[in-house]
Amino acid sequence: MNQVSHHVVVVGAGFGGLELTHALAGQPVRITMIDKRNHHLFQPLLYQVATTALATSEVAWPIRHLLRKRKDVTTLLANVTGVDRTGKRVLLDDGSTVAYDTLVLATGARHAYFGHDEWEPFAPGLKTLEDATTIRRRILTAFEQAERETDPARRQALLTIAIVGGGPTGVELAGTIVELAHDTLRGEFRNIDTRQTRVVLIEAGDRILANFAPKLSDYASKALERLGVTVELGRAVTRCDAEGVVFGDKQLAARTILWAAGVAASPVAEWLAAKADRAGRVLVEPDLSVPGSPDIFVIGDAALVLRPDGRPVPGVAPSAKQEGRHVAATIKSRLGGDNTARPFHYKHAGDLATIGKRAAAIDFGWIKLTGWLAWWLWGIAHIYFLIGFRNRLAVSLSWLWIYLTGQRSARLITQGDDDKT
């Protein structure tokens, strides 16, 4: 094999795909990066776009710009529809193909409605910039409609926001939305008092932030309730429609419903005809390769990777980046003639969740923090991982302004097809 001509194809410019590409700099390979969007998204702060704290340009960057200095990398804006494992080709939706020597699939995850895909039009999830602007539009439009509504019951339904799922995304959405309604928008309307907005967080389990230590879950629940969020535990949602949600024996009239309850892997398992778990994650080998195809790797949310204790590696940015570095190291070894399988070992960096603009919960295992100090550490960690000085400065200034004044600058209602709100 001519090492100089070794072609690595990376599908997905998320945390894992970009980390792998950066780690292969200077190696005797050529890389093709394929993504159906032209930008890399800093997903941990996507909820802040949805809740008017940040602009889209502050959490996303053009892929071509990020890789502009890498002459060994070709970027393609394209939609993958399948993989020909025998012919070693990636299939694109326009009928063309891209040949590979090594293929890395880092395509992330999408929303999962537990067999009720009909709920999606009424309860959008939060995975893309389009999702974030849709949610922002629905939230702000609900206030505008409430301002014109004369029927008290319909007005209250417009001022009720239900969030399904008590993980970090649901908790962060709930805390930020209630502050938006109670602080930022206060006094801007004449016929409604936005402080009457009701935010309800619905979790089927017995506690929110289930991956955190129980005392941190309890802290988060109390912190949300102090902000004005109603936390409902132990009841699974059984219906979502234009009128609201049903969970347990309760029916909640809510014109805005947000979905943060579950995710499913992108259709990588279907492309490969590979074994997958119920969430669609490919059951990979210990070295992250696909069984029977050592030249194909799956990383990030699309892969099921087990830790020594049998628990899956969490679908968070640090794990995707670690997996990307691991696969890059494997490729380097193979180029040097060492084909020894190298099992992936995940190092957990901790769990973080913010609760409004003055509190957070952090679980590092060996230390657990809450409150104001945890919020600052959460902010510092996220700013550190942003790309570029300009974005770090812009986000820092936006957060400082919100912290001091409660005002959020990204409160624009853009046009869309949301006629079900």
Side-chain angles (χ1 to χ4, degrees):
M1 179 181 66
N2 183 357
Q3 291 184 348
V4 175
S5 67
H6 191 89
H7 187 202
V8 178
V9 175
V10 183
V11 181
F15 289 106
L18 273 187
E19 189 71 15
L20 175 136
T21 302
H22 291 319
L24 287 177
Q27 297 301 307
V29 299
R30 58 189 179 93
I31 301 171
T32 298
M33 169 69 75
I34 305 174
D35 200 293
K36 64 182 178 181
R37 292 182 171 83
N38 80 326
H39 55 266
H40 166 73
L41 176 64
F42 190 77
Q43 205 168 72
L45 292 181
L46 188 58
Y47 81 96
Q48 296 212 358
V49 176
T51 54
T52 77
L54 297 176
T56 56
S57 60
E58 292 173 324
V59 300
W61 306 270
I63 300 167
R64 292 188 182 280
H65 177 73
L66 296 178
L67 299 174
R68 67 192 184 281
K69 296 181 180 179
R70 292 288 301 278
K71 303 304 181 183
D72 57 324
V73 179
T74 298
T75 301
L76 300 181
L77 179 66
N79 193 24
V80 173
T81 59
V83 174
D84 176 4
R85 295 169 70 171
T86 303
K88 301 187 70 168
R89 299 178 304 156
V90 176
L91 313 180
L92 306 181
D93 62 352
D94 63 357
S96 63
T97 64
V98 179
Y100 65 84
D101 294 307
T102 298
L103 174 62
V104 183
L105 299 168
T107 50
R110 50 189 173 174
H111 319 307
Y113 292 87
F114 309 116
H116 292 279
D117 290 346
E118 70 275 11
W119 293 351
E120 185 172 8
F122 310 106
L126 185 58
K127 286 295 178 185
T128 66
L129 284 180
E130 294 84 355
D131 295 335
T133 54
T134 294
I135 289 172
R136 182 180 67 191
R137 179 167 57 247
R138 291 193 180 191
I139 292 171
L140 295 177
T141 299
F143 288 112
E144 297 295 339
Q145 292 174 339
E147 174 78 351
R148 300 176 57 188
E149 182 58 65
T150 58
D151 180 86
R154 288 198 292 266
R155 175 183 287 177
Q156 187 55 59
L158 287 164
L159 293 177
T160 300
I161 299 171
I163 302 170
V164 183
T169 298
V171 168
E172 291 171 343
L173 279 170
T176 308
I177 291 172
V178 77
E179 288 182 339
L180 169 69
H182 292 187
D183 298 333
T184 305
L185 298 180
R186 183 174 59 185
E188 294 192 359
F189 293 83
R190 298 296 172 262
N191 299 321
I192 61 171
D193 181 355
T194 57
R195 291 173 296 181
Q196 299 301 313
T197 300
R198 188 181 181 202
V199 178
V200 182
L201 179 63
I202 304 168
E203 167 57 43
D206 58 1
R207 61 187 178 98
I208 61 174
L209 299 181
N211 289 336
F212 288 60
K215 71 175 184 179
L216 295 182
S217 296
D218 184 59
Y219 166 81
S221 288
K222 292 178 179 177
L224 286 173
E225 289 168 353
R226 284 195 297 270
L227 287 175
V229 176
T230 301
V231 179
E232 296 280 359
L233 300 174
R235 296 182 179 90
V237 169
T238 56
R239 194 183 79 196
C240 285
D241 57 29
E243 301 305 317
V245 296
V246 174
F247 54 102
D249 58 353
K250 291 189 175 183
Q251 182 169 351
L252 177 68
R255 293 297 301 277
T256 302
I257 308 168
L258 308 180
W259 189 263
V263 296
S266 56
V268 169
E270 298 173 20
W271 299 345
L272 299 172
K275 290 184 178 180
D277 68 353
R278 293 178 61 185
R281 296 175 295 184
V282 175
L283 305 176
V284 295
E285 299 285 4
D287 67 348
L288 306 180
S289 66
V290 174
S293 295
D295 54 345
I296 302 177
F297 297 88
V298 182
I299 62 176
D301 291 336
L304 176 63
V305 184
L306 298 179
R307 292 188 265 190
D309 61 5
R311 292 184 301 158
V313 169
V316 294
S319 61
K321 295 179 76 168
Q322 290 179 38
E323 290 167 12
R325 288 193 296 270
H326 177 82
V327 172
T330 297
I331 293 172
K332 293 177 187 178
S333 296
R334 291 182 179 180
L335 291 172
D338 182 1
N339 293 316
T340 304
R342 301 172 180 272
F344 171 71
H345 299 290
Y346 172 64
K347 296 179 180 178
H348 189 53
D351 296 306
L352 302 86
T354 184
I355 308 155
K357 64 180 182 180
R358 289 185 175 87
I362 296 179
D363 189 348
F364 290 130
W366 56 278
I367 188 172
K368 297 170 177 58
L369 298 173
T370 59
W372 179 83
L373 176 60
W375 185 86
W376 279 101
L377 288 175
W378 174 91
I380 291 170
H382 283 72
I383 289 172
Y384 173 79
F385 285 109
L386 287 170
I387 297 175
F389 174 77
R390 175 188 174 277
N391 292 93
R392 294 187 183 106
L393 179 61
V395 171
S396 298
L397 291 175
S398 294
W399 285 352
L400 180 61
W401 185 250
I402 293 169
Y403 187 85
L404 295 176
T405 69
Q407 294 302 305
R408 303 164 190 267
S409 59
R411 296 184 356 242
L412 303 179
I413 300 175
T414 54
Q415 297 301 309
D417 298 325
D418 302 330
D419 55 5
K420 291 183 174 66
T421 56

